[in-house]
Amino acid sequence: MTNTTLPTIYIAGPTASGKSELALRLAERFDSVIISADSMQIYRGLDIGTAKVAKEVRDRFEHKLIDVVNFDEEFSVAEFALQARREIETAQNSGKLPIVVGGTGLYFESLLYPMNFAHTDKDSELRRRLQSEAEIYGAEALHSRLRELDPQTAQRLHPNDVKRVIRALEIVLSTGKTLQENADSQTDPDVIMVAFDTQREKLYAGINARVDEMFEQGLVNEVLNIGRFDCQSMQAIGYKEFAGCVYELRDGEFILSKSEESRIKDLIKQHTRNYAKRQLTWFRRYKFIKWFECGDYDGALSYIESKIKDFK
């Protein structure tokens, strides 16, 4: 039986906005379990490009749903929801505060509005048909179909994000309702949820700095050592941009020319900025989120602590 005296804390927002830092600061104050809601951090071997928290930090503060599957395996939203709910319940029953942190909108949706995903694992034939359509007609055609059936969700999902486009199509075709209509038919959850936002220039500067740091940490070798761009995981921003790149192999190290490195780096920055805008669009739908300026950790912590006190 779940210990209902402990709430679940949700921390969301665009990439490079400080979500992980807030989760760690909160974990320093409460005995916590940090549950990742990042669809790329579930893959083993994809570390630098997904901005995983350092291993020594994960050893200090308990983290879940990181390094769940190999880079060449599939992992669905429904699987995330099942495992995340299990981790939340285990944490609460152990007297620990569950902290769900990340930027994958559908992952949060699956926990906040679970009925939206009630049918996603029940019609394997529908999923196979949609995947076949994507292979035959291409990602854009599948995204175009979603635009016809659920334009609001289509606007938030990139055409190349085939896995999530398929998930959204599964929902609308299974339920006969758009993602928003499914959400509207349910009562807003009574949860403690915060998110970060800031002026575009500041957010983009943070994104650009993070990408530069990833290259300094060895992103080139991480990506090209895998080199399997046919895998779903390698369609992630920070990885897919390397497909077809020109490189040299010297003493086991992958070397890019300055111009090639600059080209790929600029693409990753651009794609990440575009993704951050889609993330903000997604999370702004949730009227129950309390928003804070990027870097306002004290304000966010004070708010969360007051809500935890009220919850008890």
Side-chain angles (χ1 to χ4, degrees):
M1 187 173 180
T2 303
N3 181 354
T4 55
T5 63
L6 290 171
T8 302
I9 310 301
Y10 295 88
I11 301 173
T15 187
S17 61
K19 301 183 296 294
S20 294
E21 177 64 24
L22 176 60
L24 292 174
R25 293 191 184 201
L26 186 60
E28 286 182 336
R29 303 193 184 192
F30 296 90
D31 188 9
S32 306
V33 174
I34 298 174
I35 301 165
S36 172
D38 185 302
S39 62
M40 290 298 117
Q41 292 192 0
I42 57 107
Y43 292 107
R44 302 185 192 102
L46 275 64
D47 301 325
I48 298 172
T50 62
K52 286 177 185 171
V53 176
K55 183 66 165 60
E56 55 267 25
V57 178
R58 281 184 272 153
D59 288 339
R60 182 183 173 195
F61 299 104
E62 190 174 5
H63 282 69
K64 299 294 183 180
L65 295 188
I66 293 178
D67 294 342
V68 177
V69 296
N70 293 327
F71 72 89
D72 57 351
E73 295 180 90
E74 293 289 329
F75 192 80
S76 71
V77 179
E79 288 170 315
F80 163 80
L82 180 65
Q83 293 194 30
R85 284 195 289 269
R86 186 180 299 146
E87 295 295 353
I88 289 170
E89 183 174 342
T90 299
Q92 290 172 325
N93 287 336
S94 300
K96 297 183 178 183
L97 182 73
I99 305 171
V100 179
V101 56
T104 301
L106 276 178
Y107 276 14
F108 281 96
E109 191 90 359
S110 71
L111 295 177
L112 298 169
Y113 298 102
M115 286 304 295
N116 286 8
F117 295 83
H119 303 276
T120 56
D121 258 7
K122 294 182 179 178
D123 195 341
S124 57
E125 178 57 35
L126 172 60
R127 181 173 306 161
R128 283 195 295 269
R129 181 155 49 85
L130 291 170
Q131 290 170 339
S132 178
E133 287 181 21
E135 293 169 4
I136 296 171
Y137 302 109
E140 183 58 51
L142 205 66
H143 190 262
S144 177
R145 186 177 179 190
L146 181 61
R147 277 200 306 271
E148 294 176 2
L149 297 172
D150 187 351
Q152 189 174 11
T153 300
Q155 186 178 10
R156 294 193 298 269
L157 296 177
H158 193 280
N160 291 337
D161 195 354
V162 176
K163 185 166 70 172
R164 285 171 187 78
V165 170
I166 287 176
R167 293 295 173 217
L169 279 169
E170 283 185 81
I171 292 169
V172 68
L173 291 172
S174 296
T175 66
K177 297 179 180 179
T178 67
L179 206 63
Q180 186 61 54
E181 287 170 342
N182 273 284
D184 289 343
S185 67
Q186 300 183 67
T187 304
D188 281 342
D190 183 17
V191 297
I192 304 172
M193 187 169 185
V194 301
F196 284 124
D197 191 12
T198 189
Q199 294 179 345
R200 288 293 179 272
E201 295 77 11
K202 186 176 178 181
L203 179 62
Y204 292 170
I207 288 171
N208 293 343
R210 171 178 281 188
V211 173
D212 289 338
E213 184 180 358
M214 286 175 174
F215 273 78
E216 292 172 6
Q217 292 173 339
L219 179 62
V220 173
N221 277 282
E222 176 174 283
V223 176
L224 295 181
N225 269 314
I226 296 174
R228 288 275 308 280
F229 295 100
D230 59 326
C231 297
Q232 178 64 44
S233 65
M234 296 296 281
Q235 299 307 305
I237 297 171
Y239 295 86
K240 64 182 180 181
E241 292 82 4
F242 285 86
C245 72
V246 178
Y247 60 84
E248 292 183 33
L249 189 59
R250 301 178 195 165
D251 300 323
E253 294 285 316
F254 292 93
I255 308 296
L256 302 180
S257 67
K258 288 185 178 180
S259 61
E260 186 75 335
E261 179 174 309
S262 178
R263 180 186 70 82
I264 294 173
K265 193 181 290 186
D266 287 345
L267 272 178
I268 294 174
K269 290 177 179 178
Q270 176 189 335
H271 292 162
T272 305
R273 291 193 298 267
N274 292 340
Y275 177 54
K277 287 190 288 187
R278 294 196 299 274
Q279 287 175 302
L280 285 167
T281 299
W282 184 286
F283 291 120
R284 281 179 180 144
R285 297 162 49 234
Y286 299 148
K287 297 179 177 63
F288 46 85
I289 286 184
K290 178 69 173 178
W291 289 87
F292 292 89
E293 173 75 14
C294 287
D296 185 11
Y297 300 117
D298 290 341
L301 285 170
S302 295
Y303 170 79
I304 292 171
E305 287 179 337
S306 68
K307 298 297 284 186
I308 291 175
K309 185 177 179 181
D310 291 344
F311 186 89
K312 291 180 178 179

